[in-house]
Amino acid sequence: MDKSYEFGPCNKRDSMANQFLALSLFIMLLSFFIVINAVSNFEEVKTRPVLTSISLAFSTKNSGEDTAPTIEESAEKGFHEGDSLDQLEALFKAQLTGHTIKKNSLGTVMHVRLPLRSFERGVGAATQATTDPKRAKRSAGGFFLTTLVSLLQSDKAGIRYRMEMLLNVPKNPALAHNKNPQEVAEAVKKISGFSQALETAGLPKKLLSAGLSEGKDGYIDLYFRRYEAFDPLGDSTPGEAP
């Protein structure tokens, strides 16, 4: 009996089994890609730069379309974005320490409380009042002070901000003046030095006010509010310069 004829049917069954196995694997692979395609998302924004790059690489004609990179500046993360209060907040966080910053619900008023020594380092040696304008100008030449004045002078969307400084004293200033006038006089001299430094650096007097307040000793409170020019006719808008 021929041995090849004897094992022929067995080889035929093995061949069919291999075909069914290959078909099953193909179906499983196809199903896998179908599932992957079903759960995937298509974002046209991400594909546009790729398609533009391919078009520029293989095209021999100028389509005349704008092929600039699809880069959009984020208003939230842009360095030059934000109003004056946002930039003032960033300045204090970057330059001074020990501060607490709060804003009202409308975002129109900002309160900064910080140690007196920290604020003195930012303003410089201008707390020492002097009648020499050149010396006062040199003492008020620090980065923090000049940047602070620049931000307060900026006019964004017709809105300007004024700064109110309140130096904290342990007791009510009026009562403390009767009991210890020397202590109150020293506090007045210190807050006047801050005002002089800001004015020497170029801040208009209308954008600045200073005083004493009963509060935590060794701290100063700064309030930034929208500047409202006085208009007897009532025609000016808040923050608009006269």
Side-chain angles (χ1 to χ4, degrees):
M1 181 180 294
D2 190 358
K3 292 183 179 180
S4 63
Y5 175 77
E6 180 180 357
F7 293 98
C10 182
N11 293 335
K12 186 176 181 180
R13 288 194 299 269
D14 292 341
S15 178
M16 292 182 63
N18 292 333
Q19 292 180 3
F20 281 119
L21 179 60
L23 180 61
S24 300
L25 292 176
F26 175 77
I27 294 175
M28 292 177 59
L29 185 62
L30 180 62
S31 302
F32 172 76
F33 283 108
I34 291 175
V35 172
I36 293 297
N37 183 67
V39 299
S40 63
N41 295 325
F42 176 77
E43 297 185 10
E44 185 179 355
V45 177
K46 294 183 178 181
T47 60
R48 190 180 301 116
V50 178
L51 295 177
T52 303
S53 178
I54 295 174
S55 177
L56 290 175
F58 295 98
S59 177
T60 58
K61 296 181 180 180
N62 185 9
S63 61
E65 298 179 355
D66 185 13
T67 57
T70 56
I71 300 177
E72 297 180 359
E73 184 177 1
S74 173
E76 292 78 9
K77 299 181 180 180
F79 178 78
H80 298 288
E81 294 296 332
D83 58 9
S84 297
L85 287 186
D86 294 331
Q87 295 184 355
L88 285 169
E89 181 179 1
L91 175 65
F92 277 93
K93 289 182 178 180
Q95 296 294 323
L96 303 183
T97 59
H99 53 70
T100 57
I101 301 177
K102 296 181 180 180
K103 291 183 181 180
N104 64 344
S105 58
L106 299 178
T108 56
V109 179
M110 185 173 70
H111 171 213
V112 181
R113 169 171 289 183
L114 70 161
L116 183 60
R117 291 184 177 180
S118 179
F119 188 65
E120 285 178 335
R121 286 193 297 268
V123 172
T127 53
Q128 300 176 357
T130 175
T131 57
D132 187 358
K134 295 183 178 180
R135 181 181 176 185
K137 188 173 183 179
R138 288 196 301 268
S139 65
F143 172 80
F144 173 81
L145 182 60
T146 54
T147 306
L148 176 63
V149 172
S150 176
L151 291 176
L152 290 174
Q153 286 183 315
S154 64
D155 185 2
K156 287 192 173 185
I159 298 177
R160 302 175 72 180
Y161 286 87
R162 65 186 306 271
M163 177 180 175
E164 178 182 355
M165 298 185 299
L166 294 177
L167 179 61
N168 290 329
V169 292
K171 299 179 181 180
N172 185 292
L175 300 178
H177 180 71
N178 297 329
K179 296 182 179 180
N180 193 348
Q182 182 64 27
E183 182 179 355
V184 175
E186 290 294 332
V188 171
K189 182 179 179 181
K190 187 175 293 293
I191 196 68
S192 299
F194 293 147
S195 300
Q196 179 182 353
L198 290 165
E199 292 177 8
T200 303
L203 185 65
K205 293 183 178 181
K206 63 183 180 182
L207 300 180
L208 176 65
S209 62
L212 304 180
S213 175
E214 181 179 2
K216 188 175 181 180
D217 191 23
Y219 280 77
I220 185 171
D221 289 320
L222 308 177
Y223 293 90
F224 298 92
R225 297 183 173 90
R226 290 186 177 183
Y227 168 69
E228 297 183 8
F230 176 73
D231 186 359
L233 300 179
D235 295 333
S236 63
T237 56
E240 183 181 358

